Amino acid sequence: MGAVTLRVADLDTMTAYYRDAVTLSVLAAAGGQVVLGRGTEPILVLVHSPELQHAPSRSAGLFHTAILFESEADLATAVYAVASRHPGTFTGSADHLVSQAFYFTDPEGNGVELYTDRDRSTWSWTHGRVEMATLMLDPDKFLRDHLDPAAMAAASSRPATVGHVHLCVGDVSSARRFYVDQLGFETTAELGNTALFVSAGGYHHHMAMNTWQSRGAGRRRLSLGLGLVRIEVPTADDMGSLTERLTFHGIETSDDGRTVEFDDPWANRILVRSAG
């Protein structure tokens, strides 16, 4: 997964939140756009869009951007920073068996997950489905156990990436048809008819879609919040296979020879490019 674009009303406040609380670095800033990430890896692109309004409640869009840290110490540093600077944005924490996660809502209402994966050797798979759960994770104990002064001092230089992107959609069956049958993701987990988790290459999930706040939602109108989800595939051959599938299924695309853009059934905009 590549950087997620958010359309924001208050660029300064949102930049400060992700820089000072989430501990990302500003990689570039120009023309009403700020790119934040770690090292050279972009994680968020904030686009100043003060002319837009927030979407109505129960709309499709972003559930959360999930930022993946390499170690528990790195995760603890970010959680501590958010808790210290914006304690009112914390919404919960959970042990998901495959990962440990902390949840926040940024100043404009966009969901944020900060997490670290457990070693893949500990993940349990049955018939192509990964075992995940939502178990108690005590944030105070996690910080006591893992907060490390060396990791805190080096936070801006430590790696982090977009681990997965979780969307709000109108119905799971349409999400499965689009993301699995048409795009080619593999289903890794399901929660009845309310949530779907998909991935490529045996990860627990690169994307998820749920209807918990958006059942029955139609196509999004242009609004603050999610602007673009970026996906990177390994090779040009993978890009070719994807564009063939999109054409076969009649999905309208914009192709500039390097990237392909298209909408999912709820007008969540997706951009795919090849790493090779």
Side-chain angles (χ1 to χ4, degrees):
M1 303 305 295
V4 171
T5 294
L6 299 178
R7 300 187 190 97
V8 305
D10 188 331
L11 185 59
D12 290 342
T13 295
M14 291 288 279
T15 299
Y17 181 82
Y18 284 102
R19 181 192 62 215
D20 302 334
V22 181
T23 68
L24 303 182
S25 298
V26 174
L27 305 183
Q33 178 172 294
V34 176
V35 181
L36 298 110
R38 288 285 186 88
T40 60
E41 181 75 22
I43 292 174
L44 283 173
V45 180
L46 305 181
V47 178
H48 194 210
S49 306
E51 73 282 2
L52 298 179
Q53 302 294 316
H54 289 285
S57 62
R58 306 194 68 78
S59 296
L62 183 68
F63 188 66
H64 60 234
T65 301
I67 301 173
L68 174 62
F69 296 88
E70 287 199 346
S71 72
E72 291 169 320
D74 293 329
L75 174 59
T77 295
V79 171
Y80 178 78
V82 183
S84 299
R85 293 176 170 85
H86 292 273
T89 66
F90 175 70
T91 59
S93 56
D95 179 341
H96 293 305
L97 300 181
V98 296
S99 63
Q100 299 172 90
F102 296 84
Y103 298 94
F104 303 86
T105 302
D106 76 18
E108 294 195 4
N110 301 291
V112 184
E113 176 183 340
L114 308 179
Y115 79 111
T116 188
D117 281 332
R118 288 203 165 91
D119 191 274
R120 287 192 182 215
S121 65
T122 67
W123 301 359
S124 177
W125 294 82
T126 304
H127 303 301
R129 300 294 192 265
V130 67
E131 183 182 359
M132 294 192 290
T134 301
L135 307 177
M136 179 183 174
L137 177 59
D138 183 337
D140 293 328
K141 184 178 187 304
F142 185 89
L143 292 179
R144 287 196 302 270
D145 290 346
H146 301 294
L147 204 57
D148 177 74
M152 294 175 72
S156 63
S157 64
R158 298 288 296 158
T161 60
V162 177
H164 62 269
V165 177
H166 197 145
L167 301 176
C168 299
V169 300
D171 69 278
V172 167
S173 60
S174 295
R176 183 183 298 106
R177 183 165 57 252
F178 182 81
Y179 284 99
V180 177
D181 300 341
Q182 297 178 356
L183 263 60
F185 279 108
E186 298 174 346
T187 300
T188 56
E190 297 167 280
L191 293 177
N193 64 352
T194 68
L196 174 71
F197 301 82
V198 303
S199 83
Y203 192 54
H204 53 73
H205 66 294
H206 287 111
M207 295 193 71
M209 309 90 202
N210 76 66
T211 62
W212 302 329
Q213 302 169 1
S214 55
R215 179 177 295 279
R219 290 179 65 82
R220 299 174 59 210
R221 61 177 175 85
L222 189 62
S223 60
L224 295 170
L226 181 64
L228 187 67
V229 175
R230 292 175 176 83
I231 299 172
E232 190 171 276
V233 296
T235 69
D237 288 342
D238 295 310
M239 280 288 288
S241 297
L242 173 63
T243 55
E244 287 177 4
R245 287 197 300 274
L246 294 172
T247 300
F248 176 80
H249 291 288
I251 297 170
E252 184 177 344
T253 65
S254 174
D255 186 343
D256 66 4
R258 296 175 295 108
T259 63
V260 177
E261 289 189 44
F262 48 90
D263 289 342
D264 78 0
W266 300 275
N268 296 306
R269 192 69 171 170
I270 313 291
L271 180 151
V272 183
R273 70 176 184 179
S274 168

